[in-house]
Amino acid sequence: MNRSLAVAALLAFVPLTARAAPCPGNADALGTERVLTIDAKTTPRVGRKEFPVTLPLGKKELVLTFDDGPWPTTTPKVLDALKAECVLATFFLIGRNVEAHPDIARRELAEGHSLGHHTYSHALLSRITQAKAQAEIDRGIAEDEFALYDKRRSAPTTPFFRFPGFASNAALLDWLNGRGIVVFGADVWASDWLAMTPEQELRLILARIERVGSGIVLLHDTKKETARMLPAFLRELKRRGYRIVHVVPAADGANSR
Ligand SMILES: [Zn+2]
């Protein structure tokens, strides 16, 4: 059977819009509505804050993403909130933080989240040489892979990457694309790098989501205000009829698990 026939046969048995299984202990959970598979060949970069296109999402569909962790005082609270609502998200990891807190990164993996990469030390890559930028990216991936899969390698199991500060350039975008790595921007964010209360952050992100209607949401699991507002945020998304989409890499990724 050729590849497209095999995919068609698979799709016949796994409807992509299938509802998730019930959420243990929470009959009214927000849940994860569906899984969206992403391939760098057809979807090299996404997120309208930075690029002209975003993911193929329907009305009121959101992809939740968290950057800069793992962080011991906040990430476990974020994971608890997601678990309570059976919501799957994508974490963009900082290699240095994974090195310090590999147990938290492994918990993210064990709980079914997608784990993308965000450099080793959060360097702004457009401000350093191409060689140094590539080394930052590769070292980050290698530390993440080592903590998660016991292999220190620069080919990522989940080929998703986000530039710190969205500081990309054409040469690095081409280099990542050539390696089959999808670059994530965002469609909406909470500005949670600014000082505000959890209540202010909640109002701000909900108002911005209402404006864009659907898309990739950028939050930081290193921020205590974000961790504190997350349970109320997820409840409010449910009340307002939003649905969560979980993004995963195409099945033929670089490394088999
Ligand atoms: Zn960041």
Side-chain angles (χ1 to χ4, degrees):
M1 197 181 330
N2 71 27
R3 187 178 156 75
S4 58
L5 274 178
V7 170
L10 184 68
L11 292 181
F13 291 101
V14 186
L16 290 177
T17 53
R19 290 270 159 184
C23 189
N26 185 353
D28 188 39
L30 174 58
T32 301
E33 180 206 29
R34 67 182 179 109
V35 173
L36 178 62
T37 301
I38 304 175
D39 189 329
K41 286 196 272 297
T42 51
T43 314
R45 54 204 68 146
V46 287
R48 288 208 173 92
K49 289 274 195 190
E50 188 181 5
F51 305 117
V53 294
T54 192
L55 293 170
L57 297 171
K59 210 168 169 247
K60 291 205 160 187
E61 283 189 334
L62 301 173
V63 171
L64 300 187
T65 66
F66 294 88
D67 287 8
D68 296 0
W71 200 248
T73 53
T74 48
T75 305
K77 291 177 185 154
V78 167
L79 288 170
D80 289 347
L82 295 173
K83 194 175 187 178
E85 295 289 336
C86 289
V87 164
L88 294 176
T90 299
F91 290 84
F92 288 91
L93 305 169
I94 293 293
R96 190 168 57 186
N97 291 347
V98 170
E99 210 175 15
H101 311 288
D103 50 324
I104 307 175
R106 285 195 289 266
R107 178 181 164 191
E108 291 170 345
L109 182 69
E111 294 184 359
H113 302 291
S114 287
L115 301 184
H117 309 278
H118 196 48
T119 75
Y120 177 74
S121 67
H122 209 269
L124 293 177
L125 302 181
S126 62
R127 298 187 188 173
I128 57 180
T129 65
Q130 183 83 354
K132 280 188 180 158
Q134 291 176 355
E136 256 288 324
I137 293 170
D138 277 346
R139 188 177 175 195
I141 292 170
E143 291 302 339
D144 300 345
E145 291 289 312
F146 182 64
L148 296 168
Y149 311 107
D150 289 324
K151 293 205 172 64
R152 208 178 290 278
R153 57 196 170 194
S154 59
T157 300
T158 298
F160 294 171
F161 180 79
R162 184 178 267 149
F163 281 88
F166 285 12
S168 67
N169 63 38
L172 288 171
L173 287 169
D174 284 350
W175 180 72
L176 288 163
N177 190 217
R179 296 177 61 192
I181 296 174
V182 180
V183 173
F184 277 74
D187 296 302
V188 57
W189 53 51
S191 298
D192 59 356
W193 51 89
L194 303 175
M196 65 182 104
T197 67
E199 292 75 22
Q200 287 169 329
E201 185 181 331
L202 179 62
R203 278 198 299 276
L204 180 65
I205 187 65
L206 287 169
R208 288 177 174 174
I209 286 172
E210 293 286 357
R211 272 205 296 280
V212 297
S214 70
I216 304 164
V217 182
L218 164 62
L219 297 161
H220 289 83
D221 57 302
T222 50
K223 297 292 181 186
K224 65 178 190 304
E225 293 79 11
T226 296
R228 279 182 53 196
M229 69 115 202
L230 201 61
F233 174 58
L234 298 176
R235 294 309 307 144
E236 193 58 21
L237 291 182
K238 167 80 178 181
R239 197 182 70 78
R240 297 186 186 197
Y242 286 93
R243 299 180 307 277
I244 302 301
V245 174
H246 182 43
V247 290
V248 300
D252 53 354
N255 308 308
S256 52
R257 298 206 179 165

